[in-house]
Amino acid sequence: MKNSLFNNICGASVPGVNEFKTSNYLKKNQPIFREGGIPRGVFCINKGKVKIFTIGEEGKEQIIHVAKEGEIVGFRALFSDEPYRVSATTLDESNLCFVSKEFFFNLVDTNKALRDSIMKELSTELADRAVFITNMAQKSVRERLAFSLIFLDDVYDGEMINLSRDDLANFVGTATETLIRLLKEFKTDALIKTYARKIKLLDKVTILKISSSQ
Amino acid sequence: MKNSLFNNICGASVPGVNEFKTSNYLKKNQPIFREGGIPRGVFCINKGKVKIFTIGEEGKEQIIHVAKEGEIVGFRALFSDEPYRVSATTLDESNLCFVSKEFFFNLVDTNKALRDSIMKELSTELADRAVFITNMAQKSVRERLAFSLIFLDDVYDGEMINLSRDDLANFVGTATETLIRLLKEFKTDALIKTYARKIKLLDKVTILKISSSQ
DNA sequence: CGAGCGATTGAAAAGACTCAACCACCGTGG
DNA sequence: CCACGGTGGTTGAGTCTTTTCAATCGCTCG
């Protein structure tokens, strides 16, 4: 886990953390927090993947991010001192630990390095989201799918991408049917191979090319 | 100027700020910073509007935000310690002041209240962008236009919205022609009235309704 | 073994985009 | 003073992508 944020908050070396953190096992598709809920602390992902999403006006999910082992989720809402504006749900069996707001803020106030990491993290994500917005606005669904596959391949690291078609469509920002049709095209073009819902990338170079407009 | 960030950085009460800040007058459509450039400080907007945008693969601008008097721009890149990943350009004649990186960081390190405001600001914007992404992914252009008009009406406060059609299209995330056609529809529906490029909202209630699907 | 959900396919309709042309305004220079 | 060129705004028509709705398939789980 190279993520310094994680180590600075949940790592064994953080003084006192063991008395304060609680460990939770969660099954697949369990909510971690919900839009509108009151934040009481942060969650560190020890194992499993977590989707971060908003619910659009029509009730459709838009997945903003897929977080993996070593990431911290839910700290943004603590700073803005408002109810959650996004929701988080496990995608697999997961193991999270919870660190209370009080303990977290105490860390932040006393540890400049942690503060700097957090500022950096927030700023970087802000720029990432600017790119995300641009992709949504300007790229075709086909291009966005390619982009998403590259992103998810990284999140799933060695393993195959393992999301429901609905979740994948909600990440790409399209209808499930459209997603399936495009996956089929990618399959016939030998860019990917599917094993039930799992997806393996065969030709990352071409996929990357597609993701950057043609 | 109610924005505490601005007052804590550029306000007359900040000790030493007058020796460090430099004031700049900028004409319409002048670049403030550019994607890829190296950040050397932050800019406080005293007067005028500023667009923050990225350039997509095809060279098309996507406007992410329109900042107004009292806002600070360009501080995110300082924290992430990377080149700018967005660009900023004036939309009107503007008056900005520049505060150097060194002075800014000194303020941040010594002023907890400022730090808290910045964290809050970053976190809030992050959530705003999640909503922006969702809007892009799920709303029709018509709905996004309505949403954008409401947003811009607030930015332009008492005045009428005053953007080129291209800029407006790049904010909504559509082609200029589509934007113009929809504006026309809004005009025939008596939702807005235009005076050359300026736009006045006549029926905010209905526009708001359109912006939230339907 | 049947229910039910997720995945897939088909066909039609709608929304947006592209391209091309045209208009209107404005400042410039002959 | 007026023709000229340029830029930004507007309109039209055709095309293509994407969505929607409906139906079917196939598998898993009780």
Side-chain angles (χ1 to χ4, degrees), chain A residues 25-111:
Chain A
Y25 167 80
L26 285 177
K27 284 197 291 243
K28 203 177 166 141
N29 297 322
Q30 298 297 303
I32 299 171
F33 54 81
R34 255 190 250 274
E35 224 167 305
I38 305 297
R40 310 199 185 284
V42 301
F43 300 87
C44 312
I45 311 178
N46 290 314
K47 186 177 154 307
K49 310 268 185 278
V50 171
K51 64 176 170 182
I52 309 291
F53 60 97
T54 57
I55 307 280
E57 316 269 358
E58 317 272 54
K60 191 176 158 66
E61 284 183 12
Q62 176 60 44
I63 298 182
I64 305 294
H65 182 62
V66 178
K68 62 166 189 279
E69 304 77 16
E71 288 189 55
I72 312 285
V73 298
F75 62 88
R76 295 158 206 83
L78 285 182
F79 293 119
S80 63
D81 194 31
E82 283 174 339
Y84 287 116
R85 292 177 60 192
V86 297
S87 305
T89 296
T90 57
L91 288 168
D92 310 299
E93 293 198 355
S94 300
N95 201 294
L96 307 181
C97 73
F98 173 80
V99 173
S100 79
K101 182 172 166 171
E102 292 70 27
F103 188 80
F104 176 73
F105 274 134
N106 185 44
L107 280 180
V108 171
D109 285 342
T110 55
N111 182 343

Side-chain angles (χ1 to χ4, degrees), chain A residues 54 56-58 60-62 64 76 79-80 85-86 108-109 112 115 118-120 122-134 136-139 173 211-213, chain B residues 54 56-58 60-62 64 76 79-80 85-86 108-109 112 115 118-120 122-134 136-139 173 211-213:
Chain A
T54 57
E57 316 269 358
E58 317 272 54
K60 191 176 158 66
E61 284 183 12
Q62 176 60 44
I64 305 294
R76 295 158 206 83
F79 293 119
S80 63
R85 292 177 60 192
V86 297
V108 171
D109 285 342
K112 173 162 157 54
R115 249 174 6 235
I118 288 177
M119 298 261 210
K120 181 165 183 164
L122 291 171
S123 304
T124 303
E125 280 190 41
L126 216 40
D128 289 344
R129 288 193 187 176
V131 174
F132 203 151
I133 291 168
T134 308
M136 281 295 174
Q138 300 188 1
K139 285 188 196 290
S211 81
S212 350
S213 302
Chain B
T54 57
E57 316 269 357
E58 318 272 54
K60 191 175 158 66
E61 284 184 12
Q62 176 60 44
I64 306 293
R76 297 158 204 83
F79 293 119
S80 62
R85 292 177 58 191
V86 298
V108 171
D109 285 342
K112 173 161 156 55
R115 240 165 23 225
I118 288 177
M119 298 261 211
K120 181 168 182 162
L122 290 172
S123 304
T124 304
E125 280 190 42
L126 216 40
D128 289 343
R129 287 193 188 176
V131 174
F132 203 152
I133 290 168
T134 308
M136 280 295 172
Q138 300 188 0
K139 285 187 196 291
S211 81
S212 351
S213 304

